[in-house]
Amino acid sequence: MKPVVVDNNRIFRRVGVILALFLLTISIGVPLLLIFWQSVYPDGQWDWMAPIRTITGQHLSGVLLNSVWLGICVVAVTTLLALPLAWMMAKTRMGQHRWVDVILMIPFMTPPYIGSMGWILFMQKGGYLQQWVPSAASWSELFFSFWGMVLIMSLHLFPFLYLLLRDAIIRIGGNLEEAGAVHGGRAGYRFRRIILPLLLSSYGMGIMLVFVKTIAEFGTPATFGRKIGYYVMTSEIHKYISSWPIDFGKATSLASVLLSVCLVMWYMQSAMSRKFTYRLVGGKGQRSKRYSLRGGAGWLCGLYLALLLILSVGIPYFSIIAASTMKLRGSGLSFDNLTLDHYRELLSWGSVSMKAIGNSLGLSLAASTVAVIIGTGFALTIGKSSSFMQRVIDLFSLLPNTVPGIVMVVGLILFWNSPWMPFTLYNSYGMVVLTYVVLFLPYTVQYVKSSFTQIDGTLFQAGQVFGGKPLYILRRILLPLIIPGMLAGWMMTFTIATRELVGSLLILPPSMQTSATYIFAQFEQGQVSLGMAMAVVTVGMTVLMLLGIEVLNSKRKWNAS
């Protein structure tokens, strides 16, 4: 008889796939299914039309149209902001200034509701702009409108689209444009018939993310939108869950409709990506064509970049810092009205604000650590997505990034607060950590997967040839090579978790606050200076921690070299 050979690697892969599917099912799949179930099974009876009846019968169809129209307009404005900048940074010598990319990431690190509060303080009646230019009162009236809200959200989201488009333009070789020029195509014709079709795949992914993040945003509609009377789906869902009388039926109906809109958008993006995906990187290499900026063109590009930086970073952060250092808001901008008392009050030991900071740091550290452990396991299980089950795991792990956060939170509440559960996490510290992990897991999975798929399999084979056991190969070959991806995923999860608002508002225990909910509460209660001081401290701590990790990572690379 022939001896039976047991393939341990195959067994480990199967166990990993089964475990990954189980974890993704109970953490993402079941909560989303419960939303649909609750919305079509109200009062113990099937009613497939209940979500549509809720939208049309409660005068909420206008709110749905508001959300969709807001998403469309923000996509259009972000395109107008990001596409020229991406072309300039990819096709001209301006791309040599790498500090621009660093500064453009500041809006991403800034919570959206803090940016909108900064704009409100700057443009409101008697605000900082009118203190400098008293004749700017008419500008304030124009700003506090729907298009002002679109501008605020676009300035926060355009870095997403910019980075995607810039990288896509860089991958387009200059030989394609030169071939068009040889056949008589002018610059505008070459851009329209060569560059734009090659950008459609990346552009589709970018606008899908921008659209989903826009209709899923809660902070800006809750601050600026409520001020102008513009209500969207997220604010209505939050109202039905957090305000008496609580109505989970209406909340789940709205959540299921919002989820359906996002899934339709995701399907359209997938179809566009399949149709307009081209292979641009080959074995021959390529040379990117760069244009020189001389005279008026150079000045125009520099002015455009400066204006973007002022609008996206300068004005919001000036307002935030100015508001956090004012003694009396009514006294205006003057040196004798500056103080650091708000920071002293904020950082006094044992205060509510210090407890909120501690809660944010503790929750974010716990969530990012758990997410990087689970996400690494998922990424190693997914590998290069060669099998059907691996592709299913990859799709499920990305769902929280394509589903509005408030929808995911509602599903988690329904699941972990169900009466048939043997135990409940709802209204506990563990529920907050679980929610953060589920919401931000895609970042860790994608970063680690990107590092893992770049590793040549011959390295592991060489380790096996020289007698290395699986644990030894994992410790000495695999982990050192994927640690940069794990660290990047950890930093991204930590950064976003420290500023997460909508999930914290819905699932935090009654006596607990985080820095995000503290800022929101202070702004609601009129204590703007304390809220802005907390915003400066929170963003400052996050930046310092990220810089420290980057320094440690740089030292590790230097020692390795």
Side-chain angles (χ1 to χ4, degrees):
M1 294 179 62
K2 294 183 178 179
V4 178
V5 178
V6 179
D7 190 348
N8 291 327
N9 292 332
R10 180 175 297 179
I11 294 175
F12 288 146
R13 283 196 297 269
R14 287 181 178 177
V15 172
V17 168
I18 293 172
L19 183 60
L21 284 174
F22 173 75
L23 292 176
L24 288 172
T25 300
I26 64 171
S27 62
I28 298 174
V30 175
L32 292 179
L33 287 176
L34 282 176
I35 291 177
F36 283 113
W37 176 276
Q38 188 82 6
S39 63
V40 300
Y41 198 70
D43 303 325
Q45 294 181 348
W46 285 104
D47 187 357
W48 294 101
M49 300 299 293
I52 298 176
R53 192 176 297 110
T54 300
I55 291 290
T56 57
Q58 301 293 330
H59 305 289
L60 295 173
S61 56
V63 177
L64 174 61
L65 293 177
N66 284 348
S67 295
V68 175
W69 178 238
L70 178 65
I72 293 173
C73 292
V74 170
V75 165
V77 176
T78 52
T79 302
L80 294 177
L81 296 176
L83 183 57
L85 183 64
W87 185 87
M88 288 188 292
M89 297 299 291
K91 291 295 185 180
T92 70
R93 295 187 181 273
M94 291 179 63
Q96 298 175 354
H97 302 292
R98 306 304 299 175
W99 57 268
V100 174
D101 292 342
V102 177
I103 295 179
L104 287 175
M105 291 309 295
I106 294 179
F108 170 74
M109 296 176 61
T110 306
Y113 56 92
I114 293 179
S116 64
M117 291 174 186
W119 273 103
I120 291 173
L121 293 173
F122 189 81
M123 295 296 296
Q124 68 184 356
K125 185 177 181 181
Y128 303 137
L129 178 61
Q130 289 191 27
Q131 293 178 34
W132 288 340
V133 186
S135 60
S138 59
W139 294 6
S140 297
E141 295 178 0
L142 291 174
F143 179 78
F144 284 96
S145 62
F146 169 77
W147 292 107
M149 186 173 174
V150 170
L151 177 64
I152 291 175
M153 301 186 78
S154 300
L155 290 171
H156 173 72
L157 292 172
F158 85 92
F160 288 100
L161 189 58
Y162 155 71
L163 292 174
L164 285 171
L165 292 179
R166 187 205 61 185
D167 293 342
I169 293 175
I170 290 175
R171 289 195 298 268
I172 299 175
N175 57 330
L176 298 176
E177 293 184 72
E178 292 171 355
V182 167
H183 287 82
R186 296 185 177 182
Y189 181 86
R190 296 198 303 270
F191 183 79
R192 189 175 71 252
R193 299 302 299 271
I194 298 176
I195 302 297
L196 284 183
L198 296 176
L199 288 179
L200 282 178
S201 178
S202 297
Y203 179 70
M205 174 62 73
I207 63 172
M208 190 270 290
L209 290 174
V210 170
F211 182 85
V212 170
K213 289 182 179 296
T214 299
I215 66 173
E217 176 57 35
F218 170 76
T220 301
T223 53
F224 191 91
R226 187 164 55 185
K227 194 175 183 67
I228 64 174
Y230 194 88
Y231 300 99
V232 295
M233 295 284 281
T234 51
S235 57
E236 293 299 307
I237 294 173
H238 177 264
K239 180 183 72 175
Y240 285 125
I241 293 178
S242 60
S243 302
W244 187 261
I246 294 176
D247 193 337
F248 267 98
K250 291 181 181 177
T252 53
S253 294
L254 295 179
S256 63
V257 173
L258 190 60
L259 177 59
S260 301
V261 172
C262 293
L263 292 178
V264 170
M265 186 67 183
W266 175 78
Y267 176 79
M268 293 172 60
Q269 181 272 324
S270 300
M272 180 186 294
S273 179
R274 287 193 299 269
K275 184 176 181 181
F276 294 101
T277 297
Y278 304 95
R279 298 189 179 188
L280 299 175
V281 180
K284 296 182 178 179
Q286 58 186 4
R287 174 179 52 83
S288 179
K289 181 177 178 59
R290 290 188 177 271
Y291 297 90
S292 60
L293 294 177
R294 298 177 181 177
W299 283 101
L300 186 62
C301 290
L303 182 63
Y304 181 78
L305 176 60
L307 184 62
L308 266 184
L309 294 178
I310 291 172
L311 292 177
S312 61
V313 180
I315 290 178
Y317 269 88
F318 169 79
S319 301
I320 292 168
I321 296 173
S324 67
T325 56
M326 278 191 179
K327 295 178 183 177
L328 298 173
R329 290 177 58 199
S331 299
L333 293 169
S334 60
F335 284 106
D336 56 354
N337 193 34
L338 299 180
T339 182
L340 295 177
D341 290 343
H342 304 299
Y343 289 93
R344 295 191 187 97
E345 180 182 351
L346 188 76
L347 300 175
S348 59
W349 190 256
S351 62
V352 176
S353 53
M354 280 297 292
K355 292 179 181 178
I357 293 174
N359 289 335
S360 282
L361 292 178
L363 291 168
S364 301
L365 286 170
S368 55
T369 303
V370 173
V372 79
I373 294 173
I374 298 177
T376 300
F378 287 170
L380 298 181
T381 302
I382 294 169
K384 297 182 180 180
S385 301
S386 56
S387 68
F388 173 76
M389 296 307 298
Q390 288 176 324
R391 289 193 291 270
V392 170
I393 295 173
D394 196 7
L395 175 61
F396 266 82
S397 67
L398 284 174
L399 268 181
N401 219 3
T402 56
V403 172
I406 194 169
V407 174
M408 199 73 243
V409 173
V410 171
L412 290 171
I413 292 174
L414 290 175
F415 180 64
W416 291 104
N417 199 33
S418 299
W420 44 265
M421 287 286 289
F423 63 93
T424 178
L425 284 178
Y426 185 65
N427 211 17
S428 67
Y429 189 93
M431 180 68 182
V432 185
V433 174
L434 174 66
T435 302
Y436 288 174
V437 170
V438 172
L439 289 177
F440 310 129
L441 184 65
Y443 297 105
T444 301
V445 174
Q446 294 306 308
Y447 277 116
V448 178
K449 190 179 76 169
S450 177
S451 298
F452 177 65
T453 53
Q454 294 175 4
I455 301 174
D456 193 343
T458 56
L459 293 176
F460 307 124
Q461 296 172 5
Q464 292 174 348
V465 167
F466 285 95
K469 295 183 179 181
L471 288 179
Y472 183 85
I473 294 174
L474 173 69
R475 190 177 75 254
R476 298 303 298 271
I477 299 178
L478 179 59
L479 283 180
L481 294 174
I482 64 173
I483 277 180
M486 294 172 63
L487 192 60
W490 188 93
M491 289 191 297
M492 182 67 71
T493 303
F494 178 84
T495 301
I496 303 177
T498 54
R499 64 178 180 82
E500 210 287 326
L501 177 63
V502 62
S504 302
L505 286 174
L506 294 177
I507 61 175
L508 279 177
S511 59
M512 178 183 284
Q513 276 191 320
T514 62
S515 58
T517 58
Y518 180 87
I519 295 169
F520 191 76
Q522 297 307 309
F523 198 83
E524 291 287 297
Q525 297 168 9
Q527 299 289 333
V528 176
S529 297
L530 275 177
M532 295 296 99
M534 176 64 88
V536 174
V537 170
T538 302
V539 175
M541 286 193 307
T542 304
V543 172
L544 289 176
M545 182 170 288
L546 295 180
L547 289 176
I549 294 175
E550 187 64 27
V551 170
L552 292 176
N553 193 33
S554 299
K555 287 183 177 180
R556 186 186 66 82
K557 291 180 179 178
W558 186 83
N559 291 332
S561 63

